Amino acid sequence: MDLVVGGGVVGLSIAWRLARAGRTVTVVDPAPASGASHAAAGMLAPVSEVTYTEEPLLRLGLASLRRWPSFAAELLAESGVELDYRVDGTLDVAFGTDDLAALDELAAFMDKLGLPVERLTGRECRRLEPMLAPSVRGGLLAPQDAWVDPRRVTTALLAALSKLRVPVIRARATELLREGEAVKGVRLAPREAGPYQEVLEADRVILAAGVWSGELAGVPVRPVKGQIMRLHSPTPLLTRCVRGTVHGASVYLVPRGDGELVVGATQEELGFDTRVTAGGVYELLRDARELVPGVTELELADVVAGLRPSTPDNVPLIGPWQGLTLATGHHRGGVLLAPLTAALVAGEEGELAELCSPGRYA
Ligand code: FAD
């Protein structure tokens, strides 16, 4: 039996992938889909999301982006849950001369990768997205970029697992149980509901507990806090994902099919702090308004703070580690990287396994 510890987008994708391959799988999580996956914007944009000097991460992101169309189609077919998966591209906009130069550099880089991009004038940007600020001077359209609603993805994964009769046990793992070198199960914290089991035994333990993986296995992951808000508008303000740099910070707006507009996100190194702060909300709205002035008219529906599980080199940790299998450290790209991570844990994509091997921190 494979035991997946952690039911965020990463752990649930792995469990689904393994169960479909005929493995017996159990997931354990006190509150599935409540971690970073609940906060994420859901951009599937490996080039614009990643600093493009991070080549290994970029290779992983592009490989996972290629997996998304079939992952989304199969998940929809098996769960019946609409994912709001869209491939309508990202428009990266610039205000000043420095920003325009950075876009030119990014365009050249994407061109080198064979990714089609289009350099646009300010007027062309506003023709695509009429609600953009008049001060936008240029932009870069990356039509291959996609996005998805991560909350729908985890709902769909839980539904697909339920159909495959994969148990999702609502409990917290407190300790790894070792037999010699190998981890052969976990001890569980007592819980109020359901039959209490003190331990869960397994042939293989896969640790996918996001930023909390460190507590269980001494893994080098640290929390990077992100505050993010959801606005609601009766008529969509944007047709595609729009991003830009304002006051030195990156801000993005992601439209959803149901009229929601996601505005994100802060990046704060504050440990396990998940407070939503007045300053965080102020900065997000201030910067988003520079890109699209109309955002301040929209209804504020939801603000949350999530903890990105980040590694020292921003590359995830997927593979063997001290007697268990790790699948954590996905930083800003766990939604994008979920299909690839599941494939790697299932033993596919061998040539990419080295890039994210936890062995680099042994
Ligand atoms: P999590 O979603 O954090 O899940 C970990 C799970 O482990 C939780 O359900 C928790 O309850 C469980 N757990 C914890 N401790 C235990 C234990 N002891 N026993 C059992 N279970 C346990 N990524 C993208 O690809 N695109 C984006 O646009 C994007 N935007 C983001 C915006 C924000 C504001 C943030 C915060 C993140 C964003 N990310 C994005 C990153 C993405 O959210 C993460 O990389 C991803 O969600 C990590 O998934 P995970 O399953 O590893 O962790």
Side-chain angles (χ1 to χ4, degrees), residues 167-185:
V168 179
I169 298 174
R170 263 69 172 173
R172 194 166 66 85
T174 55
E175 187 189 341
L176 302 174
L177 301 175
R178 293 185 178 276
E179 263 179 45
E181 296 284 289
V183 176
K184 288 292 185 189

Side-chain angles (χ1 to χ4, degrees), residues 29-326:
D29 189 322
S34 63
S37 308
H38 181 72
M43 286 179 296
L44 312 175
V47 179
S48 37
E49 246 312 273
V50 160
T51 312
Y52 51 93
T53 47
E54 297 172 320
E55 290 249 356
L57 191 52
L58 187 59
R59 277 183 64 195
L60 296 171
L62 291 171
S64 205
L65 186 67
R66 284 193 289 275
R67 286 182 169 268
W68 257 99
S70 58
F71 182 86
E74 287 162 19
L75 189 52
L76 168 62
E78 285 194 21
S79 67
V81 177
E82 289 287 345
L83 307 179
D84 203 3
Y85 169 67
R86 292 168 62 179
V87 191
D88 289 334
T90 303
L91 180 61
D92 211 332
V93 298
F95 295 94
T97 314
D98 288 354
D99 295 348
L100 287 168
L103 281 192
D104 284 336
E105 223 173 289
L106 186 60
F109 181 69
M110 285 171 129
D111 203 43
K112 209 176 89 187
L113 291 171
L115 297 170
V117 281
E118 222 180 306
R119 194 64 176 78
L120 305 177
T121 63
R123 187 171 297 176
E124 286 167 335
C125 290
R126 277 185 294 281
R127 204 173 297 140
L128 286 180
E129 296 294 347
M131 300 309 281
L132 278 178
S135 47
V136 166
R137 286 179 57 198
L140 187 68
L141 179 67
Q144 77 284 345
D145 276 2
W147 66 92
V148 72
D149 184 342
R151 294 181 184 177
R152 288 173 179 256
V153 174
T154 48
T155 301
L157 286 165
L158 285 166
L161 289 175
S162 164
K163 281 196 180 161
L164 292 169
R165 301 193 186 287
V166 173
V168 179
I169 298 174
R170 263 69 172 173
R172 194 166 66 85
T174 55
E175 187 189 341
L176 302 174
L177 301 175
R178 293 185 178 276
E179 263 179 45
E181 296 284 289
V183 176
K184 288 292 185 189
V186 295
R187 189 176 304 285
L188 300 181
R191 56 196 172 123
E192 279 164 25
Y196 173 56
Q197 261 171 294
E198 196 183 2
V199 296
L200 274 176
E201 289 176 0
D203 300 314
R204 174 163 76 144
V205 173
I206 298 149
L207 184 55
V211 74
W212 299 276
S213 305
E215 292 169 357
L216 279 167
V219 180
V221 285
R222 69 178 199 287
V224 176
K225 176 178 174 180
Q227 301 189 50
I228 186 164
M229 68 176 67
R230 283 157 176 82
L231 307 174
H232 194 79
S233 87
T235 49
L237 219 53
L238 298 172
T239 60
R240 56 180 59 72
C241 186
V242 168
R243 58 188 307 147
T245 303
V246 184
H247 301 116
S250 157
V251 62
Y252 54 75
L253 296 96
V254 183
R256 301 247 188 265
D258 56 5
E260 203 175 70
L261 184 68
V262 180
V263 179
T266 65
Q267 285 216 79
E268 304 163 73
E269 301 263 358
L270 291 171
F272 284 82
D273 170 13
T274 52
R275 288 171 311 133
V276 170
T277 63
V281 172
Y282 165 72
E283 280 170 28
L284 286 176
L285 280 176
R286 179 198 63 192
D287 296 352
R289 193 178 62 165
E290 296 273 331
L291 294 186
V292 179
V295 291
T296 48
E297 301 300 321
L298 304 185
E299 184 188 338
L300 177 53
D302 176 39
V303 195
V304 295
L307 300 175
R308 303 175 184 91
S310 306
T311 60
D313 59 5
N314 293 339
V315 177
L317 298 156
I318 307 166
W321 168 271
Q322 299 178 357
L324 47 70
T325 300
L326 280 187

Side-chain angles (χ1 to χ4, degrees), residues 24-36:
T24 305
V25 188
T26 295
V27 178
V28 62
D29 189 322
S34 63

Side-chain angles (χ1 to χ4, degrees), residues 8-10 29-31 36-37 40-43 172-173 209 212 331-336:
V9 70
V10 171
D29 189 322
S37 308
M43 286 179 296
R172 194 166 66 85
W212 299 276
H331 187 46
R332 298 173 58 136
V335 183
L336 167 66

